[in-house]
Amino acid sequence: MTKRKLLTALAVSSFFISITFYACNSESSQKNSDLVDYNFQIRPILSDRCFQCHGPDANKREADLRLDTPEGAYAALKENPEAHALVKGKPQLSEAFLRMTTSDSTLRMPPIESNLKLTEEEINLIKKWIDQGAEYKPHWAFIAPQKNDLPEADEDWVKNEIDHFAYAKMRAQGLNPNEEASKEALLKRVTLDLTGLLPTLEEQDAFINDESEDAYEKVVDRLLKSKHYGEKMALPWLDLARYADSHGYQDDGLRTMWPWRDWVIHAFNENYSYQKFVTWQLAGDQIKNSNKESLLATGFNRNHKITQEGGVIDEEYRIEYVTDRTNTFGKGLLALTFECAHCHDHKYDPISQKDYYSTFAFFNQVPEKGLFGTIDASFADPPNMKITDEDVQSILKFVNKKDSADMAVMVMKDSSITRPTYLLERGNYDAHGEAVGFALPESIMAFDTSKYPKNRLGLSQWLFDQENPLTARVFVNRLWEQFYGQGIVKTTGDFGMQGDLPTHPELLDWLAVDFMENDWDIKAMVKKMVMSATYRQSSDITEKHLKTDPENLWLARTSRIRVAAEHVRDVVLHSSGLLNLEIGGPSVKPYQPEGIWEVATSGRGLLAKYVQDHGEDLYRRGMYVFIKRTVPPPSMLIFDASNRDQCEVRRLRTNTPLQALSMLNDPTVQEASRVLAEKLVTQKNDVENKLDLAFRKIICRTPKSDELEVLLDYYEQERKYFKENPDKAKALLNIGEYKAVSARPVSETAAMMHTIQLIYNLEEALMRI
């Protein structure tokens, strides 16, 4: 069978398409394009239909049969020593295959009551795999990445190595790359992606008028040097690190962790290597020559919820904190569902409960209690560090400290005596099983105690060992999601058996190795991604795109992405000229509906009632809005922001009527519309020019003639209405605390305000296209 016929035969299933391409591009498949690949064709089937009962979890294993390991699959069956689940080359003697194909419903696997079944195509694929020797391989994510040769591509199109891989995949699907996006769209895209802000009119004019070959690269370099780059890059990390401004649980008291957020922004702006960035957060207190900056970085592991409720059992909640740190490490840095092994062996991935608690041991040495003080007694439970004015003037210059009082921030510190760690039966805090040491799952990479110290610093060294198969892959995949809308592995937080397969596995491996070879340089990797021809394509969608690749898996265009919740606020404030561009500092409390905090509180503490800020603090960026865990900012939740309750590596993107209502009625949007309208109506030019200017500020391109005509018609309708209803115009122009322009034509300003609101509600206003 030729490669083309094979692809045609499998085109009925996008699942089979994605997994077959990897096999066809592997070295073994080049020798025989008909060879079935276990990792990308067979394991997903077995994992989904078989591993729950015949997988890693010994407590749930049926018939003492394992199909997730070759030893288990080839072994004699316990109930019939003459039989074997799998016999290499002989499906007719393989009991597992016979049970999959039997007509006897009482014997068929998976059982009918499981509501799982195998398709005819899947059965044929398994049969072919057994015929070919039923070869097992380690899970693809647990094999160290290697650089493959670059696939052939159109040299007139490619800009860098990324494009070779993308081009080969899209052409295999019969797709051609889109044309490069217009200069206006490209500037808006890369500015949003690297700073979370819109390009100014001056920046738009400069780029459009720059005809040099390196015009785009100059823009990228400028944005990478921007102080706002660190803010944009920090936001996804705050989700991962579950950063919030309150402790959580019922009382949900105030905490002071914002200096750690300032450090994250600083680290991205200074381009700390990913190795340094993560090592300091995991073990900044244990590195050689540690100081207050590296100690502050360890606040990463104290961002979890902390109880301040009386009557709690200290040990129960202390275990909760260590559990959170362990789960965050597994999901955030390894993209594995470690939490599934908290109470029992993992049902799908080779992570035993003992593996879980051996990892748990690294985070179990902090001298902390379940309950330290009352709701307002401690804004930073010990261990903590003090930050003084002297610190801010010397080593912590990036901390935006606004008053002279010392403040405390929670950090990591291990006890002088090693606390024993036990496997907890069923995950119960007081059900001690066997004692465990410091270790990590050998399925990933063994923790060599002769090579690594048995502490969090050793954990970091293990994480950044060149042989670790996950660390680099996981981070470059997360970066890819930021700039392309979806990870090469769609399940950003799950590289395990139940996670999605990579669409471009060779590209993912190439990027991971390149990242390590370049000393984990984040800015270099970001630049490589946004400089590629793949990134620069237009987002225009053709009928062929919709028919062949509606999800844009094969990257023959750029995906249209709605900006993050925090950047919705940023876009509105920035385009209106209201945005306070200050970096860092304490979180702020902007406009919010009355009574929301009050109905969801214990009634105690400083956060019992919402006290709104005023002045410049009303116009800070979205990432600085105060997050109370039990009552997150409602305007943010509407646009899918994280509530920061636990580690989150991938936000969902929804489109709901509430989002449209928010853009129409949110006081921040209305105030921004008013302020921009006041600025425009006082300018000495005609209405058409004013609307053209507003459109360019918000949409970042010149409006088409028909678009401008619609806006002019709407403006005239509104102007006539407000001229007949001056009281309504005056009421509208009183929205918001920003001081109004005194000399303003009322009806014209109100009409312009509504027209600007209309522009803010266009799809392009909140879309990165």
Side-chain angles (χ1 to χ4, degrees), residues 469-512:
L470 288 170
T471 310
R473 273 190 180 122
V474 168
F475 188 67
V476 297
N477 187 65
R478 192 168 297 131
L479 288 179
W480 189 272
E481 182 183 57
Q482 286 181 232
F483 300 114
Y484 292 86
Q486 179 172 286
I488 295 173
V489 178
K490 184 177 181 180
T491 48
T492 319
D494 187 2
F495 275 41
M497 310 267 185
Q498 292 295 97
D500 282 9
L501 294 165
T503 55
H504 297 68
E506 299 92 346
L507 172 58
L508 180 62
D509 283 7
W510 194 96
L511 291 172

Side-chain angles (χ1 to χ4, degrees), residues 533-671:
T534 307
Y535 175 84
R536 299 193 216 181
Q537 295 175 100
S538 79
S539 60
D540 295 342
I541 302 176
T542 66
E543 287 294 327
K544 189 167 187 178
H545 288 148
L546 291 175
K547 182 179 180 180
T548 305
D549 187 19
E551 294 185 61
N552 196 24
L553 297 176
W554 310 120
L555 305 173
R557 64 185 188 275
T558 284
S559 296
R560 299 166 68 92
I561 308 168
R562 198 203 68 229
V563 299
E566 292 82 354
H567 301 320
V568 171
R569 174 182 172 85
D570 297 343
V571 163
V572 169
L573 291 176
H574 192 219
S575 56
S576 68
L578 274 176
L579 187 63
N580 175 1
L581 292 171
E582 180 183 0
I583 304 291
S587 296
V588 296
K589 302 184 185 73
Y591 306 124
Q592 180 169 292
E594 292 184 6
I596 291 182
W597 279 18
E598 289 81 344
V599 299
T601 179
S602 65
R604 299 181 293 169
L606 295 174
L607 302 186
K609 184 177 181 181
Y610 189 80
V611 181
Q612 180 196 300
D613 286 324
H614 303 281
E616 286 296 306
D617 283 347
L618 280 176
Y619 312 112
R620 297 294 308 279
R621 293 195 67 169
M623 71 178 301
Y624 300 117
V625 171
F626 194 98
I627 297 178
K628 183 180 181 183
R629 278 193 163 99
T630 52
V631 195
S635 61
M636 300 290 187
L637 291 184
I638 287 172
F639 287 96
D640 308 311
S642 168
N643 64 8
R644 304 284 171 76
D645 214 41
Q646 59 186 355
C647 173
E648 185 174 325
V649 297
R650 180 171 176 250
R651 292 186 183 182
L652 297 177
R653 292 191 188 96
T654 62
N655 292 297
T656 70
L658 280 178
Q659 292 168 357
L661 289 171
S662 178
M663 293 303 295
L664 287 169
N665 298 292
D666 188 293
T668 296
V669 180
Q670 292 185 320
E671 181 179 24

Side-chain angles (χ1 to χ4, degrees), residues 728-749:
K728 290 187 177 182
K730 290 177 182 178
L732 188 68
L733 297 178
N734 282 328
I735 291 175
E737 295 187 7
Y738 193 82
K739 187 177 180 181
V741 175
S742 55
R744 56 181 179 175
V746 175
S747 59
E748 286 85 347
T749 305

